Amino acid sequence: EAGVTQFPSHSVIEKGQTVTLRCDPISGHDNLYWYRRVMGKEIKFLLHFVKESKQDESGMPNNRFLAERTGGTYSTLKVQPAELEDSGVYFCASSSQGGRTEAFFGQGTRLTVV
Amino acid sequence: AQSVTQPDIHITVSEGASLELRCNYSYGATPYLFWYVQSPGQGLQLLLKYFSGDTLVQGIKGFEAEFKRSQSSFNLRKPSVHWSDAAEYFCAVKVTGGGNKLTFGTGTQLKVEL
């Protein structure tokens, strides 16, 4: 069974450009999460989808970040326009249910804004 | 404020020595508790989890963790470390009734000396 897949693994863009990160969750997992780790800091929650609906987007830093999950399968996270402070590793995770279930993480996308 | 603390940013141990990584949380009720590991170039992998019941939980790769309610701690242990255990370790909590998001500690980087 395939795990959580993220694309690209690395991205280097200039300040002001747009970048779109993609996450393919484990098949059948209704719950999809985005997290981010800025260098030297802890991994922080960004948002949570249940199927195609945003369940919790309390961690989204500002309106330059847009997450979508059309059809309840894969998800994209767009940063537009990117700023220097957006650099970090973006993780996607999925789980079959909430509560007493574990989340499975992808390998992350390392985003560098120069 | 609710938080997860991993007081050791870096730890170095010799191969074959025992290991204990500390994790403390600050929440009103007992949350669900997790330890994840990130090896170089890899995603986050779940080592073990605690939901309820026996306070000593066994995980993969020979790791175990003990939940101590009185100390609000969930320390990770391994009796004999292998060179392949060199990685970054993250403690995480999920607050019951607080949605499904994980709150992470800042991580502990483990170096293993041969």
Side-chain angles (χ1 to χ4, degrees), chain A residues 33 35 37 42-43 45 48 56 58 91 98-103 105-107, chain B residues 32 36 38 43-44 46 49 51-52 88 90 94 100-102 104-106:
Chain A
Y33 313 83
Y35 291 83
R37 188 183 194 197
E42 68 271 29
I43 300 168
F45 168 81
H48 170 208
D56 180 356
S58 62
F91 291 102
R100 293 189 174 202
T101 55
E102 65 185 83
F105 281 77
Q107 81 280 12
Chain B
Y32 300 143
Y36 284 87
Q38 185 179 23
L44 293 166
L46 181 71
K49 57 186 181 279
F51 295 143
S52 65
E88 191 161 18
F90 297 92
K94 182 190 293 187
N100 286 312
K101 62 185 176 186
L102 292 168
F104 285 86
T106 50

PDB file of all heavy atoms in Angstrom, chain A residues 33 35 37 42-43 45 48 56 58 91 98-103 105-107, chain B residues 32 36 38 43-44 46 49 51-52 88 90 94 100-102 104-106:
ATOM      1  N   TYR A  33      -4.054  16.409   6.574  1.00  0.00           N
ATOM      2  CA  TYR A  33      -3.510  17.510   7.365  1.00  0.00           C
ATOM      3  C   TYR A  33      -2.290  18.102   6.676  1.00  0.00           C
ATOM      4  O   TYR A  33      -1.523  17.386   6.043  1.00  0.00           O
ATOM      5  CB  TYR A  33      -3.062  17.015   8.750  1.00  0.00           C
ATOM      6  CG  TYR A  33      -4.055  16.127   9.467  1.00  0.00           C
ATOM      7  CD1 TYR A  33      -4.125  14.766   9.190  1.00  0.00           C
ATOM      8  CD2 TYR A  33      -4.907  16.641  10.437  1.00  0.00           C
ATOM      9  CE1 TYR A  33      -5.029  13.945   9.846  1.00  0.00           C
ATOM     10  CE2 TYR A  33      -5.810  15.824  11.101  1.00  0.00           C
ATOM     11  CZ  TYR A  33      -5.860  14.477  10.796  1.00  0.00           C
ATOM     12  OH  TYR A  33      -6.752  13.664  11.452  1.00  0.00           O
ATOM     13  N   TYR A  35       1.111  20.450   7.752  1.00  0.00           N
ATOM     14  CA  TYR A  35       1.938  20.993   8.815  1.00  0.00           C
ATOM     15  C   TYR A  35       3.139  21.683   8.182  1.00  0.00           C
ATOM     16  O   TYR A  35       3.488  21.419   7.032  1.00  0.00           O
ATOM     17  CB  TYR A  35       2.455  19.872   9.741  1.00  0.00           C
ATOM     18  CG  TYR A  35       1.413  19.200  10.597  1.00  0.00           C
ATOM     19  CD1 TYR A  35       0.630  18.168  10.091  1.00  0.00           C
ATOM     20  CD2 TYR A  35       1.207  19.595  11.924  1.00  0.00           C
ATOM     21  CE1 TYR A  35      -0.326  17.545  10.879  1.00  0.00           C
ATOM     22  CE2 TYR A  35       0.255  18.965  12.721  1.00  0.00           C
ATOM     23  CZ  TYR A  35      -0.506  17.948  12.186  1.00  0.00           C
ATOM     24  OH  TYR A  35      -1.454  17.328  12.967  1.00  0.00           O
ATOM     25  N   ARG A  37       7.268  23.120   9.179  1.00  0.00           N
ATOM     26  CA  ARG A  37       8.361  23.330  10.118  1.00  0.00           C
ATOM     27  C   ARG A  37       9.292  24.391   9.553  1.00  0.00           C
ATOM     28  O   ARG A  37       9.981  24.164   8.557  1.00  0.00           O
ATOM     29  CB  ARG A  37       9.143  22.050  10.383  1.00  0.00           C
ATOM     30  CG  ARG A  37      10.161  22.241  11.515  1.00  0.00           C
ATOM     31  CD  ARG A  37      10.991  21.027  11.763  1.00  0.00           C
ATOM     32  NE  ARG A  37      11.688  21.150  13.054  1.00  0.00           N
ATOM     33  CZ  ARG A  37      12.721  20.414  13.407  1.00  0.00           C
ATOM     34  NH1 ARG A  37      13.184  19.478  12.587  1.00  0.00           N
ATOM     35  NH2 ARG A  37      13.286  20.582  14.584  1.00  0.00           N
ATOM     36  N   GLU A  42       9.389  24.260  15.969  1.00  0.00           N
ATOM     37  CA  GLU A  42       8.638  23.018  16.015  1.00  0.00           C
ATOM     38  C   GLU A  42       7.764  22.870  14.783  1.00  0.00           C
ATOM     39  O   GLU A  42       7.508  23.825  14.052  1.00  0.00           O
ATOM     40  CB  GLU A  42       7.772  22.958  17.280  1.00  0.00           C
ATOM     41  CG  GLU A  42       6.636  23.954  17.326  1.00  0.00           C
ATOM     42  CD  GLU A  42       7.034  25.271  17.939  1.00  0.00           C
ATOM     43  OE1 GLU A  42       8.207  25.659  17.844  1.00  0.00           O
ATOM     44  OE2 GLU A  42       6.145  25.926  18.509  1.00  0.00           O
ATOM     45  N   ILE A  43       7.320  21.663  14.552  1.00  0.00           N
ATOM     46  CA  ILE A  43       6.374  21.389  13.474  1.00  0.00           C
ATOM     47  C   ILE A  43       5.015  21.942  13.903  1.00  0.00           C
ATOM     48  O   ILE A  43       4.508  21.609  14.983  1.00  0.00           O
ATOM     49  CB  ILE A  43       6.274  19.874  13.223  1.00  0.00           C
ATOM     50  CG1 ILE A  43       7.645  19.305  12.830  1.00  0.00           C
ATOM     51  CG2 ILE A  43       5.236  19.579  12.132  1.00  0.00           C
ATOM     52  CD1 ILE A  43       7.700  17.792  12.837  1.00  0.00           C
ATOM     53  N   PHE A  45       0.897  22.863  13.036  1.00  0.00           N
ATOM     54  CA  PHE A  45      -0.316  22.540  12.298  1.00  0.00           C
ATOM     55  C   PHE A  45      -0.751  23.724  11.446  1.00  0.00           C
ATOM     56  O   PHE A  45      -0.721  24.879  11.892  1.00  0.00           O
ATOM     57  CB  PHE A  45      -1.409  22.186  13.302  1.00  0.00           C
ATOM     58  CG  PHE A  45      -2.794  22.099  12.736  1.00  0.00           C
ATOM     59  CD1 PHE A  45      -3.223  20.956  12.084  1.00  0.00           C
ATOM     60  CD2 PHE A  45      -3.679  23.159  12.866  1.00  0.00           C
ATOM     61  CE1 PHE A  45      -4.514  20.876  11.579  1.00  0.00           C
ATOM     62  CE2 PHE A  45      -4.957  23.082  12.370  1.00  0.00           C
ATOM     63  CZ  PHE A  45      -5.377  21.946  11.723  1.00  0.00           C
ATOM     64  N   HIS A  48      -6.685  21.134   8.470  1.00  0.00           N
ATOM     65  CA  HIS A  48      -7.213  19.774   8.468  1.00  0.00           C
ATOM     66  C   HIS A  48      -8.423  19.708   7.548  1.00  0.00           C
ATOM     67  O   HIS A  48      -9.352  20.497   7.685  1.00  0.00           O
ATOM     68  CB  HIS A  48      -7.584  19.394   9.910  1.00  0.00           C
ATOM     69  CG  HIS A  48      -8.354  18.122  10.055  1.00  0.00           C
ATOM     70  ND1 HIS A  48      -9.223  17.903  11.109  1.00  0.00           N
ATOM     71  CD2 HIS A  48      -8.390  16.989   9.315  1.00  0.00           C
ATOM     72  CE1 HIS A  48      -9.758  16.707  11.003  1.00  0.00           C
ATOM     73  NE2 HIS A  48      -9.271  16.132   9.918  1.00  0.00           N
ATOM     74  N   ASP A  56     -10.598  22.440  10.033  1.00  0.00           N
ATOM     75  CA  ASP A  56      -9.889  23.335  10.950  1.00  0.00           C
ATOM     76  C   ASP A  56      -8.769  23.982  10.156  1.00  0.00           C
ATOM     77  O   ASP A  56      -7.889  23.279   9.664  1.00  0.00           O
ATOM     78  CB  ASP A  56      -9.334  22.544  12.136  1.00  0.00           C
ATOM     79  CG  ASP A  56      -8.583  23.398  13.151  1.00  0.00           C
ATOM     80  OD1 ASP A  56      -8.408  24.609  12.924  1.00  0.00           O
ATOM     81  OD2 ASP A  56      -8.149  22.853  14.174  1.00  0.00           O
ATOM     82  N   SER A  58      -7.193  26.783  11.496  1.00  0.00           N
ATOM     83  CA  SER A  58      -6.727  27.761  12.478  1.00  0.00           C
ATOM     84  C   SER A  58      -5.233  28.032  12.416  1.00  0.00           C
ATOM     85  O   SER A  58      -4.768  29.042  12.919  1.00  0.00           O
ATOM     86  CB  SER A  58      -7.102  27.290  13.887  1.00  0.00           C
ATOM     87  OG  SER A  58      -6.473  26.056  14.189  1.00  0.00           O
ATOM     88  N   PHE A  91       4.849  19.459   5.595  1.00  0.00           N
ATOM     89  CA  PHE A  91       4.474  18.048   5.716  1.00  0.00           C
ATOM     90  C   PHE A  91       2.978  17.882   5.490  1.00  0.00           C
ATOM     91  O   PHE A  91       2.171  18.696   5.926  1.00  0.00           O
ATOM     92  CB  PHE A  91       4.799  17.517   7.118  1.00  0.00           C
ATOM     93  CG  PHE A  91       6.259  17.400   7.424  1.00  0.00           C
ATOM     94  CD1 PHE A  91       6.892  18.354   8.198  1.00  0.00           C
ATOM     95  CD2 PHE A  91       6.995  16.325   6.964  1.00  0.00           C
ATOM     96  CE1 PHE A  91       8.240  18.242   8.503  1.00  0.00           C
ATOM     97  CE2 PHE A  91       8.347  16.200   7.259  1.00  0.00           C
ATOM     98  CZ  PHE A  91       8.958  17.174   8.026  1.00  0.00           C
ATOM     99  N   GLY A  98     -10.569  10.256  13.057  1.00  0.00           N
ATOM    100  CA  GLY A  98      -9.994  11.149  14.055  1.00  0.00           C
ATOM    101  C   GLY A  98      -9.794  10.404  15.346  1.00  0.00           C
ATOM    102  O   GLY A  98      -9.806   9.175  15.387  1.00  0.00           O
ATOM    103  N   GLY A  99      -9.625  11.131  16.440  1.00  0.00           N
ATOM    104  CA  GLY A  99      -9.544  10.522  17.760  1.00  0.00           C
ATOM    105  C   GLY A  99      -8.379   9.575  17.916  1.00  0.00           C
ATOM    106  O   GLY A  99      -7.232   9.916  17.691  1.00  0.00           O
ATOM    107  N   ARG A 100      -8.671   8.334  18.266  1.00  0.00           N
ATOM    108  CA  ARG A 100      -7.636   7.364  18.601  1.00  0.00           C
ATOM    109  C   ARG A 100      -7.073   6.703  17.360  1.00  0.00           C
ATOM    110  O   ARG A 100      -7.073   5.469  17.233  1.00  0.00           O
ATOM    111  CB  ARG A 100      -8.200   6.303  19.535  1.00  0.00           C
ATOM    112  CG  ARG A 100      -8.580   6.834  20.902  1.00  0.00           C
ATOM    113  CD  ARG A 100      -8.911   5.710  21.836  1.00  0.00           C
ATOM    114  NE  ARG A 100      -9.135   6.164  23.191  1.00  0.00           N
ATOM    115  CZ  ARG A 100      -9.032   5.390  24.259  1.00  0.00           C
ATOM    116  NH1 ARG A 100      -8.711   4.108  24.109  1.00  0.00           N
ATOM    117  NH2 ARG A 100      -9.253   5.878  25.466  1.00  0.00           N
ATOM    118  N   THR A 101      -6.621   7.501  16.440  1.00  0.00           N
ATOM    119  CA  THR A 101      -5.960   6.961  15.255  1.00  0.00           C
ATOM    120  C   THR A 101      -4.678   7.741  15.028  1.00  0.00           C
ATOM    121  O   THR A 101      -4.551   8.890  15.420  1.00  0.00           O
ATOM    122  CB  THR A 101      -6.843   7.063  14.009  1.00  0.00           C
ATOM    123  OG1 THR A 101      -7.240   8.421  13.829  1.00  0.00           O
ATOM    124  CG2 THR A 101      -8.066   6.173  14.101  1.00  0.00           C
ATOM    125  N   GLU A 102      -3.755   7.096  14.379  1.00  0.00           N
ATOM    126  CA  GLU A 102      -2.493   7.755  14.106  1.00  0.00           C
ATOM    127  C   GLU A 102      -2.529   8.403  12.741  1.00  0.00           C
ATOM    128  O   GLU A 102      -3.280   7.992  11.852  1.00  0.00           O
ATOM    129  CB  GLU A 102      -1.352   6.735  14.156  1.00  0.00           C
ATOM    130  CG  GLU A 102      -1.447   5.677  13.065  1.00  0.00           C
ATOM    131  CD  GLU A 102      -0.387   4.616  13.224  1.00  0.00           C
ATOM    132  OE1 GLU A 102      -0.593   3.680  14.003  1.00  0.00           O
ATOM    133  OE2 GLU A 102       0.653   4.743  12.542  1.00  0.00           O
ATOM    134  N   ALA A 103      -1.724   9.430  12.597  1.00  0.00           N
ATOM    135  CA  ALA A 103      -1.568  10.088  11.313  1.00  0.00           C
ATOM    136  C   ALA A 103      -0.288   9.588  10.656  1.00  0.00           C
ATOM    137  O   ALA A 103       0.739   9.423  11.310  1.00  0.00           O
ATOM    138  CB  ALA A 103      -1.508  11.604  11.508  1.00  0.00           C
ATOM    139  N   PHE A 105       2.589  10.334   7.860  1.00  0.00           N
ATOM    140  CA  PHE A 105       3.182  11.515   7.256  1.00  0.00           C
ATOM    141  C   PHE A 105       3.898  11.193   5.954  1.00  0.00           C
ATOM    142  O   PHE A 105       4.458  10.099   5.780  1.00  0.00           O
ATOM    143  CB  PHE A 105       4.182  12.158   8.218  1.00  0.00           C
ATOM    144  CG  PHE A 105       3.539  12.981   9.301  1.00  0.00           C
ATOM    145  CD1 PHE A 105       2.941  12.368  10.388  1.00  0.00           C
ATOM    146  CD2 PHE A 105       3.512  14.364   9.205  1.00  0.00           C
ATOM    147  CE1 PHE A 105       2.332  13.129  11.395  1.00  0.00           C
ATOM    148  CE2 PHE A 105       2.915  15.132  10.206  1.00  0.00           C
ATOM    149  CZ  PHE A 105       2.313  14.512  11.283  1.00  0.00           C
ATOM    150  N   GLY A 106       3.913  12.181   5.084  1.00  0.00           N
ATOM    151  CA  GLY A 106       4.738  12.120   3.898  1.00  0.00           C
ATOM    152  C   GLY A 106       6.162  12.545   4.211  1.00  0.00           C
ATOM    153  O   GLY A 106       6.483  12.901   5.354  1.00  0.00           O
ATOM    154  N   GLN A 107       6.999  12.550   3.187  1.00  0.00           N
ATOM    155  CA  GLN A 107       8.415  12.861   3.402  1.00  0.00           C
ATOM    156  C   GLN A 107       8.673  14.367   3.477  1.00  0.00           C
ATOM    157  O   GLN A 107       9.749  14.791   3.834  1.00  0.00           O
ATOM    158  CB  GLN A 107       9.282  12.236   2.293  1.00  0.00           C
ATOM    159  CG  GLN A 107       9.334  13.021   0.986  1.00  0.00           C
ATOM    160  CD  GLN A 107       8.113  12.801   0.109  1.00  0.00           C
ATOM    161  OE1 GLN A 107       7.095  12.241   0.513  1.00  0.00           O
ATOM    162  NE2 GLN A 107       8.213  13.247  -1.126  1.00  0.00           N
TER     163      GLN A 107
ATOM    164  N   TYR B  32      -3.747  12.372  23.966  1.00  0.00           N
ATOM    165  CA  TYR B  32      -3.147  11.216  23.304  1.00  0.00           C
ATOM    166  C   TYR B  32      -1.696  11.596  23.019  1.00  0.00           C
ATOM    167  O   TYR B  32      -1.407  12.736  22.624  1.00  0.00           O
ATOM    168  CB  TYR B  32      -3.899  10.895  22.009  1.00  0.00           C
ATOM    169  CG  TYR B  32      -5.354  10.566  22.208  1.00  0.00           C
ATOM    170  CD1 TYR B  32      -6.313  10.976  21.289  1.00  0.00           C
ATOM    171  CD2 TYR B  32      -5.795   9.831  23.315  1.00  0.00           C
ATOM    172  CE1 TYR B  32      -7.648  10.669  21.449  1.00  0.00           C
ATOM    173  CE2 TYR B  32      -7.134   9.529  23.495  1.00  0.00           C
ATOM    174  CZ  TYR B  32      -8.053   9.949  22.551  1.00  0.00           C
ATOM    175  OH  TYR B  32      -9.389   9.652  22.716  1.00  0.00           O
ATOM    176  N   TYR B  36       7.351  10.377  17.181  1.00  0.00           N
ATOM    177  CA  TYR B  36       7.690  10.194  15.771  1.00  0.00           C
ATOM    178  C   TYR B  36       9.192  10.324  15.612  1.00  0.00           C
ATOM    179  O   TYR B  36       9.862  11.015  16.381  1.00  0.00           O
ATOM    180  CB  TYR B  36       7.013  11.256  14.908  1.00  0.00           C
ATOM    181  CG  TYR B  36       5.543  11.052  14.647  1.00  0.00           C
ATOM    182  CD1 TYR B  36       4.582  11.526  15.537  1.00  0.00           C
ATOM    183  CD2 TYR B  36       5.101  10.397  13.496  1.00  0.00           C
ATOM    184  CE1 TYR B  36       3.222  11.346  15.287  1.00  0.00           C
ATOM    185  CE2 TYR B  36       3.749  10.217  13.238  1.00  0.00           C
ATOM    186  CZ  TYR B  36       2.822  10.694  14.137  1.00  0.00           C
ATOM    187  OH  TYR B  36       1.478  10.518  13.884  1.00  0.00           O
ATOM    188  N   GLN B  38      12.243  11.103  12.533  1.00  0.00           N
ATOM    189  CA  GLN B  38      12.545  11.496  11.163  1.00  0.00           C
ATOM    190  C   GLN B  38      14.017  11.203  10.888  1.00  0.00           C
ATOM    191  O   GLN B  38      14.901  11.893  11.418  1.00  0.00           O
ATOM    192  CB  GLN B  38      12.251  12.966  10.904  1.00  0.00           C
ATOM    193  CG  GLN B  38      12.446  13.362   9.440  1.00  0.00           C
ATOM    194  CD  GLN B  38      12.143  14.807   9.162  1.00  0.00           C
ATOM    195  OE1 GLN B  38      12.179  15.654  10.042  1.00  0.00           O
ATOM    196  NE2 GLN B  38      11.826  15.104   7.912  1.00  0.00           N
ATOM    197  N   GLY B  43      10.420  10.846   5.768  1.00  0.00           N
ATOM    198  CA  GLY B  43       9.309  11.532   6.423  1.00  0.00           C
ATOM    199  C   GLY B  43       9.233  11.159   7.884  1.00  0.00           C
ATOM    200  O   GLY B  43      10.101  10.465   8.421  1.00  0.00           O
ATOM    201  N   LEU B  44       8.194  11.616   8.539  1.00  0.00           N
ATOM    202  CA  LEU B  44       7.985  11.288   9.943  1.00  0.00           C
ATOM    203  C   LEU B  44       7.379   9.893  10.054  1.00  0.00           C
ATOM    204  O   LEU B  44       6.381   9.595   9.415  1.00  0.00           O
ATOM    205  CB  LEU B  44       7.043  12.305  10.585  1.00  0.00           C
ATOM    206  CG  LEU B  44       7.578  13.718  10.719  1.00  0.00           C
ATOM    207  CD1 LEU B  44       6.457  14.685  11.047  1.00  0.00           C
ATOM    208  CD2 LEU B  44       8.648  13.775  11.788  1.00  0.00           C
ATOM    209  N   LEU B  46       5.902   6.987  12.754  1.00  0.00           N
ATOM    210  CA  LEU B  46       5.405   6.787  14.107  1.00  0.00           C
ATOM    211  C   LEU B  46       6.176   5.667  14.786  1.00  0.00           C
ATOM    212  O   LEU B  46       6.282   4.563  14.263  1.00  0.00           O
ATOM    213  CB  LEU B  46       3.921   6.439  14.078  1.00  0.00           C
ATOM    214  CG  LEU B  46       3.274   6.240  15.444  1.00  0.00           C
ATOM    215  CD1 LEU B  46       3.151   7.576  16.182  1.00  0.00           C
ATOM    216  CD2 LEU B  46       1.892   5.602  15.311  1.00  0.00           C
ATOM    217  N   LYS B  49       2.546   5.039  20.357  1.00  0.00           N
ATOM    218  CA  LYS B  49       1.467   5.931  20.758  1.00  0.00           C
ATOM    219  C   LYS B  49       0.855   5.453  22.066  1.00  0.00           C
ATOM    220  O   LYS B  49       0.918   4.264  22.409  1.00  0.00           O
ATOM    221  CB  LYS B  49       0.390   5.995  19.680  1.00  0.00           C
ATOM    222  CG  LYS B  49      -0.195   4.619  19.322  1.00  0.00           C
ATOM    223  CD  LYS B  49      -1.143   4.731  18.142  1.00  0.00           C
ATOM    224  CE  LYS B  49      -1.758   3.373  17.798  1.00  0.00           C
ATOM    225  NZ  LYS B  49      -0.844   2.555  17.003  1.00  0.00           N
ATOM    226  N   PHE B  51      -2.829   5.929  24.188  1.00  0.00           N
ATOM    227  CA  PHE B  51      -4.186   6.467  24.272  1.00  0.00           C
ATOM    228  C   PHE B  51      -4.740   6.294  25.682  1.00  0.00           C
ATOM    229  O   PHE B  51      -5.305   7.212  26.260  1.00  0.00           O
ATOM    230  CB  PHE B  51      -5.103   5.782  23.258  1.00  0.00           C
ATOM    231  CG  PHE B  51      -4.731   6.041  21.825  1.00  0.00           C
ATOM    232  CD1 PHE B  51      -4.860   5.057  20.854  1.00  0.00           C
ATOM    233  CD2 PHE B  51      -4.253   7.276  21.426  1.00  0.00           C
ATOM    234  CE1 PHE B  51      -4.527   5.299  19.538  1.00  0.00           C
ATOM    235  CE2 PHE B  51      -3.909   7.533  20.106  1.00  0.00           C
ATOM    236  CZ  PHE B  51      -4.042   6.531  19.165  1.00  0.00           C
ATOM    237  N   SER B  52      -4.595   5.102  26.218  1.00  0.00           N
ATOM    238  CA  SER B  52      -5.076   4.823  27.569  1.00  0.00           C
ATOM    239  C   SER B  52      -4.539   3.459  27.987  1.00  0.00           C
ATOM    240  O   SER B  52      -3.884   2.774  27.193  1.00  0.00           O
ATOM    241  CB  SER B  52      -6.604   4.841  27.641  1.00  0.00           C
ATOM    242  OG  SER B  52      -7.143   3.789  26.870  1.00  0.00           O
ATOM    243  N   GLU B  88      16.124  12.510  14.109  1.00  0.00           N
ATOM    244  CA  GLU B  88      15.474  13.512  14.956  1.00  0.00           C
ATOM    245  C   GLU B  88      14.163  12.921  15.470  1.00  0.00           C
ATOM    246  O   GLU B  88      13.400  12.330  14.705  1.00  0.00           O
ATOM    247  CB  GLU B  88      15.213  14.810  14.189  1.00  0.00           C
ATOM    248  CG  GLU B  88      14.797  15.946  15.102  1.00  0.00           C
ATOM    249  CD  GLU B  88      14.977  17.322  14.492  1.00  0.00           C
ATOM    250  OE1 GLU B  88      15.095  17.424  13.261  1.00  0.00           O
ATOM    251  OE2 GLU B  88      15.007  18.312  15.264  1.00  0.00           O
ATOM    252  N   PHE B  90      10.543  13.366  17.626  1.00  0.00           N
ATOM    253  CA  PHE B  90       9.534  14.349  17.980  1.00  0.00           C
ATOM    254  C   PHE B  90       8.470  13.726  18.873  1.00  0.00           C
ATOM    255  O   PHE B  90       7.905  12.688  18.540  1.00  0.00           O
ATOM    256  CB  PHE B  90       8.843  14.891  16.723  1.00  0.00           C
ATOM    257  CG  PHE B  90       9.747  15.629  15.786  1.00  0.00           C
ATOM    258  CD1 PHE B  90      10.386  14.977  14.753  1.00  0.00           C
ATOM    259  CD2 PHE B  90       9.954  16.996  15.940  1.00  0.00           C
ATOM    260  CE1 PHE B  90      11.224  15.647  13.885  1.00  0.00           C
ATOM    261  CE2 PHE B  90      10.792  17.682  15.073  1.00  0.00           C
ATOM    262  CZ  PHE B  90      11.425  17.007  14.043  1.00  0.00           C
ATOM    263  N   LYS B  94      -2.136  14.951  21.000  1.00  0.00           N
ATOM    264  CA  LYS B  94      -3.422  15.287  20.403  1.00  0.00           C
ATOM    265  C   LYS B  94      -4.386  15.479  21.563  1.00  0.00           C
ATOM    266  O   LYS B  94      -4.566  14.570  22.371  1.00  0.00           O
ATOM    267  CB  LYS B  94      -3.916  14.177  19.490  1.00  0.00           C
ATOM    268  CG  LYS B  94      -5.243  14.482  18.796  1.00  0.00           C
ATOM    269  CD  LYS B  94      -5.814  13.260  18.103  1.00  0.00           C
ATOM    270  CE  LYS B  94      -4.997  12.795  16.955  1.00  0.00           C
ATOM    271  NZ  LYS B  94      -5.691  11.702  16.200  1.00  0.00           N
ATOM    272  N   ASN B 100      -8.367  17.157  15.667  1.00  0.00           N
ATOM    273  CA  ASN B 100      -7.448  16.054  15.422  1.00  0.00           C
ATOM    274  C   ASN B 100      -6.018  16.499  15.171  1.00  0.00           C
ATOM    275  O   ASN B 100      -5.185  15.707  14.782  1.00  0.00           O
ATOM    276  CB  ASN B 100      -7.930  15.241  14.224  1.00  0.00           C
ATOM    277  CG  ASN B 100      -9.135  14.406  14.590  1.00  0.00           C
ATOM    278  OD1 ASN B 100      -9.132  13.727  15.598  1.00  0.00           O
ATOM    279  ND2 ASN B 100     -10.175  14.485  13.791  1.00  0.00           N
ATOM    280  N   LYS B 101      -5.725  17.744  15.406  1.00  0.00           N
ATOM    281  CA  LYS B 101      -4.383  18.213  15.102  1.00  0.00           C
ATOM    282  C   LYS B 101      -3.398  17.784  16.170  1.00  0.00           C
ATOM    283  O   LYS B 101      -3.736  17.624  17.347  1.00  0.00           O
ATOM    284  CB  LYS B 101      -4.378  19.739  14.990  1.00  0.00           C
ATOM    285  CG  LYS B 101      -4.776  20.469  16.256  1.00  0.00           C
ATOM    286  CD  LYS B 101      -4.858  21.964  15.987  1.00  0.00           C
ATOM    287  CE  LYS B 101      -5.351  22.708  17.224  1.00  0.00           C
ATOM    288  NZ  LYS B 101      -5.571  24.152  16.924  1.00  0.00           N
ATOM    289  N   LEU B 102      -2.172  17.575  15.712  1.00  0.00           N
ATOM    290  CA  LEU B 102      -1.070  17.242  16.605  1.00  0.00           C
ATOM    291  C   LEU B 102      -0.311  18.513  16.972  1.00  0.00           C
ATOM    292  O   LEU B 102      -0.111  19.387  16.140  1.00  0.00           O
ATOM    293  CB  LEU B 102      -0.108  16.277  15.913  1.00  0.00           C
ATOM    294  CG  LEU B 102      -0.624  14.860  15.638  1.00  0.00           C
ATOM    295  CD1 LEU B 102       0.322  14.127  14.697  1.00  0.00           C
ATOM    296  CD2 LEU B 102      -0.786  14.087  16.930  1.00  0.00           C
ATOM    297  N   PHE B 104       3.388  19.479  18.349  1.00  0.00           N
ATOM    298  CA  PHE B 104       4.704  18.865  18.441  1.00  0.00           C
ATOM    299  C   PHE B 104       5.630  19.620  19.389  1.00  0.00           C
ATOM    300  O   PHE B 104       5.519  20.846  19.560  1.00  0.00           O
ATOM    301  CB  PHE B 104       5.376  18.848  17.064  1.00  0.00           C
ATOM    302  CG  PHE B 104       4.841  17.825  16.118  1.00  0.00           C
ATOM    303  CD1 PHE B 104       3.732  18.109  15.332  1.00  0.00           C
ATOM    304  CD2 PHE B 104       5.439  16.581  15.996  1.00  0.00           C
ATOM    305  CE1 PHE B 104       3.224  17.167  14.447  1.00  0.00           C
ATOM    306  CE2 PHE B 104       4.946  15.633  15.111  1.00  0.00           C
ATOM    307  CZ  PHE B 104       3.842  15.928  14.331  1.00  0.00           C
ATOM    308  N   GLY B 105       6.579  18.866  19.947  1.00  0.00           N
ATOM    309  CA  GLY B 105       7.712  19.492  20.603  1.00  0.00           C
ATOM    310  C   GLY B 105       8.711  19.933  19.548  1.00  0.00           C
ATOM    311  O   GLY B 105       8.530  19.695  18.343  1.00  0.00           O
ATOM    312  N   THR B 106       9.773  20.570  19.983  1.00  0.00           N
ATOM    313  CA  THR B 106      10.754  21.124  19.044  1.00  0.00           C
ATOM    314  C   THR B 106      11.699  20.076  18.483  1.00  0.00           C
ATOM    315  O   THR B 106      12.469  20.370  17.579  1.00  0.00           O
ATOM    316  CB  THR B 106      11.582  22.225  19.709  1.00  0.00           C
ATOM    317  OG1 THR B 106      12.085  21.740  20.955  1.00  0.00           O
ATOM    318  CG2 THR B 106      10.747  23.467  19.957  1.00  0.00           C
TER     319      THR B 106
END
